[in-house]
Amino acid sequence: MKYSPQMNYQRRKRYILRVRIFFVAIFLLAVAAAAYGYTVIRKTEQSSQNGGGAVQTTASYYAESVNILRSPYFQFQANKTWVEVPGESTPTKFIYRSFRGNLIEHQMTIYVNESPANLVANRVLPVTISDNSELLPATVTDHCIKATGKSSIDDPMIAMERVKFKCDADSTNYAVLVGQVGGTTTLPLKRADGSMANYTIYYTNLKATPEPSQITDIVNSFQAR
């Protein structure tokens, strides 16, 4: 076949055109990918700044983990491990327990208008009463024996953080009575109908390493009804 310069030129022209089209396509794809990546990053940053994801997660967790426990006289919030024990409760004594599996980790008894005369504890949670119906807790005290500076006490009635209560000096359990600052462990609160009732809150932590967060949170949410 006879060589044709014109044919060779046309082939070269078509080859160069294909190469150019290829590189233009690669460039356009790269630009599109970069634009998409930038859009995704901006949306993620805006969501983080607005706190949308965190709020949804927190709200969902809060709704699933909090349990509102009620009686005719009061209500409070606790986590889902807490339940009432109706078989051991009475119209004036309400018992609640927190379980991990079959193990009891926390127990709380709330007495309304009457409480045992021999009720003792080795710690107290001082509170102030707000609006005659809510409790504002401070911090659970150390063991009450520390208030005496001795290894024993002659009179169980002592005062810690300006709260008078009966000290169980020999006890090694984590037992807490809630008490009004400037008063005793009898808490006078106004109910929804305007009447007054006296509440006594007694809590024990049965874990190997007890700490006060459960009773503090419960008391902080406690309301007379």
Side-chain angles (χ1 to χ4, degrees), residues 6-58:
Q6 178 65 25
M7 184 178 297
N8 185 53
Y9 172 76
Q10 290 178 349
R11 288 177 179 175
R12 288 177 59 192
K13 188 174 181 180
R14 285 196 297 270
Y15 173 76
I16 292 172
L17 180 61
R18 292 193 191 101
V19 170
R20 287 178 177 175
I21 292 173
F22 174 78
F23 281 108
V24 168
I26 293 295
F27 174 77
L28 292 176
L29 286 173
V31 170
Y36 176 76
Y38 176 79
T39 301
V40 170
I41 292 172
R42 286 294 298 167
K43 287 183 177 180
T44 302
E45 290 178 348
Q46 290 174 357
S47 177
S48 298
Q49 291 172 355
N50 293 336
V55 169
Q56 292 175 0
T57 301
T58 302

Side-chain angles (χ1 to χ4, degrees), residues 7 17 21 34 42 57 61 70 76 96 98 127 162 164 180 200 202 219 224:
M7 184 178 297
L17 180 61
I21 292 173
R42 286 294 298 167
T57 301
Y61 173 80
R70 295 184 176 91
F76 63 88
Y96 301 88
S98 169
V127 299
R162 297 175 56 208
K164 293 181 180 180
Q180 183 180 8
T200 302
Y202 178 76
V219 169

Side-chain angles (χ1 to χ4, degrees), residues 79 81-82 98 105-107 122-123 125 139-142 172-176 203-218:
N79 63 43
T81 65
W82 282 87
S98 169
E105 291 192 325
H106 310 270
Q107 178 167 307
N122 53 35
R123 290 170 171 81
L125 174 56
T139 303
V140 173
T141 65
D142 291 330
T172 58
N173 295 329
Y174 194 95
V176 182
Y203 163 85
T204 53
N205 187 317
L206 303 174
K207 298 175 68 175
T209 54
E211 44 80 31
S213 62
Q214 290 276 349
I215 182 60
T216 302
D217 290 344
I218 286 173

Side-chain angles (χ1 to χ4, degrees), residues 109-171:
T109 304
I110 301 176
Y111 301 90
V112 181
N113 290 331
E114 60 180 55
S115 62
N118 60 350
L119 192 61
V120 295
N122 53 35
R123 290 170 171 81
V124 68
L125 174 56
V127 299
T128 55
I129 298 177
S130 174
D131 295 329
N132 293 320
S133 62
E134 299 180 7
L135 304 176
L136 303 178
T139 303
V140 173
T141 65
D142 291 330
H143 196 292
C144 56
I145 195 67
K146 293 187 176 181
T148 67
K150 304 176 183 178
S151 59
S152 63
I153 59 175
D154 298 325
D155 185 353
M157 183 63 73
I158 68 168
M160 293 185 75
E161 300 296 329
R162 297 175 56 208
V163 178
K164 293 181 180 180
F165 71 107
K166 289 185 177 179
C167 171
D168 189 3
D170 298 326
S171 172

